[in-house]
């Protein structure tokens, strides 16, 4: 694969970024790195969702896959002593199995659009209920923690949270792997087939595309990526809870983030992660820091940022349906043609 | 053995039976029309042949190969290309991408350039518009694109479902001329039409379908002269 010079520069900048942060914010390096790490991890998950979302396979259930990735990995580590080096692949297999179990019958029965979205919604709720129901193991709705191994830095236990520098490069590698998967799919014949069947399934079958299999393949890949992302996220946070990594809220954040960034282009979901993380973090800091608002609403001010976050996202989706990157590219193209 | 054979084929939607005991055959190199009123089952017939709709009973085969057990996406590899009703192009792909998808099967990909030349030779208009989104073209151009896409797979038999629907009379005439031309180029054609006079002028044989049954069949000139067709479809 040829590397575009712009990408090479961008990659170099990403490698240099943590050192720049260390130099510029020596006191609060951990905080800023934490934000960037979260962006990268979510960017990989959003990219995984957009892999199928861009072809009209709108899933509201990917919180189930991130949840399975996180919970299966941590449960195997906490209760069976199985290293996440094996636990993560196992979790991915479980997530893919669920994806196929839901995907196969629905694709065969031609369940599409809203109905497919509802089905995936039921799936994520099912997974959340399982997690809450197994509270003796999972800690129920309070969540639980992976058992800390040694000083919290270990290849064997896939724990790296204690050193933000290492964590950053783990996150960067995970994100990059996601981008490479995207590029592979983007250049394959499968993409062409998926784009066609996203527009007209009957015509796609008529030109010899195995509609069910193409959809299953991309769904499995998407589920695998999100399970992987969920597992790494759990290892980094050193905490898993149904609200942070499984469940409908997570599903929605994934969809919002990816759509806000733009689902049809490689860096769209990544920009979406950047944007949503900055927005929610910025709002949170603004409201916590504002003396006036705190005096008016007291501690209730803390929930105000989520509200405004939601409103902003709604406005965003209405006025920029192609997302930030998609809209920017369209503008660029028009501008170039005009000049 | 005929190229395409149907014996006692029945099919329907839910409890409704749209096709009843249909038997017909298409020989190599001929063009055959299926005519009939709205709701006679013409489109259903093509959908059954191309595997979009499973047959409830009967046998159907292409060059001796059983079609009933084949899923829709495998039918193309037996040499049957379906140009569905209302064209079913990929609207937000360009003309050339639509044609490329016509040659999606690995066996067809290798011969993509030469077939593209053939299709562009047949429809110079498509070449002019090759970078345009298929959905933005006129009805006639879209029909050309749909036929072109079917030709890209290098089929033996082409199923055309009402290619004249929604087209201006001049364009309709062009479409029928085209049917004649691709038959002369060696393709076998099975065409469904409501434009009875015009289609019977270009095909060799025809079947008259009425409420899901074959009411009549024969050479197109004979059908055109028959009382049943004249009365019902030509209003004479």
């Amino acid at each position: 694969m040829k590397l575009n010079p712009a990408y090479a520069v961008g990659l170099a900048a990403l490698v240099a970024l943590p050192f720049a942060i260390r130099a510029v914010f020596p006191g609060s390096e951990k905080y800023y790195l934490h934000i960037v790490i979260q962006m990268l991890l979510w960017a990989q998950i959003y990219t995984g969702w957009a892999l199928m979302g861009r072809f009209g396979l709108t899933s509201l259930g990917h919180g189930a896959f991130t949840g399975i990735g996180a919970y299966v990995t941590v449960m195997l580590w906490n209760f069976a002593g199985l290293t996440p080096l094996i636990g993560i692949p196992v979790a991915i297999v479980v997530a893919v199995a669920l994806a196929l179990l839901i995907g196969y019958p629905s694709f065969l029965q031609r369940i599409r659009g809203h109905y497919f979205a509802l089905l995936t919604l039921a799936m994520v709720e099912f997974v959340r209920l399982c997690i809450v129901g197994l509270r003796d193991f999972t800690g129920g709705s309070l969540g639980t923690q992976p058992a800390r191994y040694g000083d919290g830095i270990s290849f064997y236990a896939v724990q790296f949270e204690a050193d933000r520098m290492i964590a950053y490069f783990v996150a960067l590698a995970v994100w990059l792997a996601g981008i490479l998967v995207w590029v592979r799919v983007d250049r394959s014949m499968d993409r062409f087939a998926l784009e066609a069947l996203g527009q007209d399934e009957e015509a796609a079958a008529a030109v010899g595309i195995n509609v069910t299999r193409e959809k299953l393949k991309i769904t499995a890949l998407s589920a695998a990526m999100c399970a992987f992302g969920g597992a790494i996220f759990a290892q980094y946070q050193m905490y898993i809870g149904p609200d942070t990594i499984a469940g409908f809220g997570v599903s929605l954040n994934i969809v919002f983030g990816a759509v806000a960034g733009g689902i049809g282009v490689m860096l769209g979901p990544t920009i979406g992660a950047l944007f949503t993380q900055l927005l929610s973090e910025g709002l949170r800091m603004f409201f916590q820091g504002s003396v006036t608002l705190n005096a008016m609403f007291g501690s209730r001010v803390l929930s105000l940022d989520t509200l405004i976050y939601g409103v902003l996202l709604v406005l965003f989706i209405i006025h920029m349906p192609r997302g930030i990157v998609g809209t920017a590219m369209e503008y660029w193209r028009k501008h170039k043609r005009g000049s | 053995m005929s190229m395409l054979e149907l014996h006692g084929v029945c099919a329907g939607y839910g409890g409704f039976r749209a096709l009843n005991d249909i038997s017909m055959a298409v020989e190599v190199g001929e063009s055959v029309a299926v005519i009939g009123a709205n709701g006679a089952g013409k489109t259903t017939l093509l959908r059954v042949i191309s595997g979009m709709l499973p047959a409830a009973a009967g046998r159907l085969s292409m060059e001796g190969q059983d079609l009933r057990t084949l899923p829709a996406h495998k039918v193309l590899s037996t040499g049957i290309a379906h140009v569905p009703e209302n064209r079913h192009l990929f609207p937000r792909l360009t003309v050339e991408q639509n044609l490329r998808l016509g040659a999606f099967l690995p066996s067809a990909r290798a011969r993509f350039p030469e077939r593209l030349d053939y299709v562009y030779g047949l429809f110079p208009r498509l070449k002019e518009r090759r970078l345009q989104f298929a959905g933005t073209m006129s009805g006639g151009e879209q029909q050309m694109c749909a036929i072109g896409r079917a030709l890209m797979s290098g089929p033996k038999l082409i199923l055309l479902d009402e290619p004249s629907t929604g087209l201006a009379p001049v364009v309709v005439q062009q479409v029928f001329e085209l049917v004649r031309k691709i038959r002369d180029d060696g393709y076998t054609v099975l065409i469904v039409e409501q434009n009875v006079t015009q289609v019977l002028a270009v095909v060799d044989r025809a079947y008259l379908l009425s409420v899901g049954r074959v009411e009549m069949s024969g050479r197109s000139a004979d059908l055109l002269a028959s009382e049943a067709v004249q009365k019902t479809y030509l209003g004479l």
Side-chain angles (χ1 to χ4, degrees):
Chain A
M1 154 182 168
K2 266 182 286 175
L3 198 62
N4 185 319
Y7 292 144
V9 171
L11 210 55
L14 282 173
V15 170
L17 181 66
F19 302 103
I21 288 176
R22 177 173 281 180
V24 179
F25 307 104
S28 43
E29 159 196 338
K30 271 192 117 170
Y31 169 71
Y32 286 105
L33 278 176
H34 173 68
I35 302 232
V36 181
I37 291 166
Q38 281 203 316
M39 279 175 190
L40 285 170
L41 291 177
W42 282 116
Q44 186 265 357
I45 291 171
Y46 294 180
T47 305
W49 179 87
L51 218 47
M52 64 187 282
R54 69 186 288 206
F55 299 117
L57 293 165
T58 310
S59 160
L60 296 181
H62 270 49
F65 302 132
T66 53
I68 287 173
Y71 273 88
V72 170
T73 305
V74 172
M75 292 302 107
L76 285 175
W77 170 250
N78 283 0
F79 294 97
L82 191 66
T83 160
L85 293 173
I86 300 171
I88 293 175
V90 171
I92 291 175
V93 169
V94 174
V96 169
L98 178 69
L100 296 180
L101 198 71
I102 299 287
Y104 186 66
S106 39
F107 297 152
L108 212 57
Q109 298 296 320
R110 300 264 180 270
I111 292 172
R112 299 181 275 242
H114 304 119
Y115 300 97
F116 181 70
L118 281 177
L119 195 82
T120 56
L121 194 64
M123 171 182 78
V124 70
E125 185 60 7
F126 166 77
V127 168
R128 192 189 67 86
L129 286 173
C130 286
I131 290 170
V132 174
L134 293 168
R135 61 176 58 80
D136 292 344
F137 301 99
T138 61
S141 49
L142 293 176
T144 185
Q145 286 178 305
R148 207 176 176 82
Y149 188 77
D151 59 358
I153 299 286
S154 159
F155 177 70
Y156 172 73
V158 195
Q159 291 183 0
F160 45 82
E161 173 263 347
D163 186 329
R164 287 281 152 89
M165 259 322 177
I166 297 177
Y168 175 82
F169 283 103
V170 169
L172 185 63
V174 167
W175 170 77
L176 204 58
I179 294 294
L180 288 178
V181 169
W182 174 282
V183 171
R184 269 298 286 274
V185 172
D186 203 52
R187 295 182 179 177
S188 69
M189 204 65 192
D190 293 303
R191 190 207 106 193
F192 206 31
L194 284 160
E195 215 161 289
L197 70 84
Q199 295 184 18
D200 192 325
E201 280 193 13
E202 194 147 293
V207 298
I209 294 169
N210 188 338
V211 173
T212 306
R213 200 181 60 190
E214 290 294 341
K215 281 183 171 182
L216 274 181
K217 266 161 62 179
I218 201 72
T219 306
L221 188 62
S222 174
M225 255 175 82
C226 285
F228 180 56
I232 298 294
F233 189 81
Q235 298 301 110
Y236 170 65
Q237 293 279 339
M238 289 301 277
Y239 161 78
I240 51 174
D243 294 332
T244 60
I245 196 62
F248 182 54
V250 176
S251 288
L252 273 191
N253 278 339
I254 295 173
V255 179
F256 278 149
V259 171
I263 54 179
V265 273
M266 179 180 81
L267 290 178
T270 301
I271 300 298
L274 199 85
F275 172 73
T276 48
Q277 294 294 316
L278 280 180
L279 186 64
S280 66
E281 196 62 21
L283 284 170
R284 195 178 62 83
M285 290 193 20
F286 172 74
F287 283 113
Q288 271 179 3
S290 163
V291 181
T292 337
L293 284 171
N294 266 305
M296 277 167 70
F297 298 108
S299 62
R300 275 172 298 171
V301 76
L302 287 177
S303 53
L304 217 57
D305 64 321
T306 339
L307 183 116
I308 291 188
Y309 175 75
V311 170
L312 280 175
L313 280 171
V314 168
L315 287 176
F316 222 86
I317 286 169
I318 291 174
H319 293 289
M320 263 196 195
R322 285 159 175 271
I324 300 171
V325 180
T327 310
M329 279 173 71
E330 200 178 3
Y331 179 80
W332 173 248
R333 224 174 285 141
K334 268 191 195 148
H335 206 70
K336 239 168 77 176
R337 201 179 294 157
S339 63
Chain B
M1 187 182 72
S2 309
M3 184 184 233
L4 178 75
E5 288 185 12
L6 280 78
H7 287 286
V9 169
C10 302
Y13 306 92
F16 171 69
R17 184 162 270 199
L19 291 179
N20 239 322
D21 193 26
I22 301 277
S23 296
M24 61 187 293
V26 177
E27 307 294 335
V28 179
E30 67 172 350
S31 58
V32 176
V34 176
I35 54 174
N38 266 335
K42 306 186 297 294
T43 293
T44 308
L45 178 68
L46 292 196
R47 286 171 57 84
V48 168
I49 295 172
S50 65
M52 302 277 176
L53 185 74
R59 284 179 289 129
L60 61 162
S61 63
M62 171 71 179
E63 295 185 320
Q65 190 179 353
D66 185 13
L67 287 177
R68 265 190 81 179
T69 53
L70 283 185
H73 64 270
K74 290 243 174 82
V75 171
L76 188 70
S77 57
T78 67
I80 299 178
H82 188 175
V83 182
E85 195 179 15
N86 302 323
R87 308 182 266 272
H88 280 280
L89 289 175
F90 304 111
R92 290 179 306 285
L93 292 181
T94 63
V95 169
E96 193 150 309
Q97 283 174 324
N98 268 274
L99 295 177
R100 186 175 283 276
L101 275 160
F104 180 79
L105 290 183
S107 57
R109 273 176 227 172
R111 302 189 57 188
F112 175 72
E114 71 182 85
R115 288 201 181 123
L116 193 66
D117 281 347
Y118 173 70
V119 170
Y120 281 159
L122 218 49
F123 310 106
R125 185 63 69 86
L126 290 185
K127 190 169 187 176
E128 287 166 27
R129 310 236 147 161
R130 67 181 202 281
L131 299 179
Q132 194 173 326
F133 279 159
T136 63
M137 296 197 300
S138 75
E141 290 163 344
Q142 289 194 21
Q143 188 61 53
M144 291 174 193
C145 189
I147 296 174
R149 188 178 65 189
L151 289 170
M152 289 303 292
S153 64
K156 296 169 187 155
L157 170 66
I158 300 183
L159 310 178
L160 289 170
D161 195 347
E162 304 228 7
S164 71
T165 311
L167 301 184
V170 184
V171 187
V172 171
Q173 199 46 47
Q174 288 173 1
V175 167
F176 287 123
E177 283 308 318
L178 180 79
V179 171
R180 202 202 299 264
K181 173 140 179 39
I182 55 180
R183 176 201 176 272
D184 291 345
D185 285 351
Y187 294 98
T188 308
V189 179
L190 180 61
I191 178 172
V192 152
E193 258 300 333
Q194 295 205 49
N195 249 318
V196 175
T197 358
Q198 276 176 301
V199 76
L200 287 182
V202 296
V203 297
D204 304 314
R205 287 194 304 121
Y207 290 84
L208 172 61
L209 232 59
S210 175
V211 261
R213 291 179 187 278
V214 176
E215 195 171 288
M216 239 183 122
S217 69
R219 304 201 51 79
S220 41
D222 298 341
L223 241 68
L224 199 52
S226 73
E227 207 178 320
V229 172
Q230 295 227 331
K231 252 195 188 147
T232 323
Y233 300 100
L234 304 176
L236 296 174

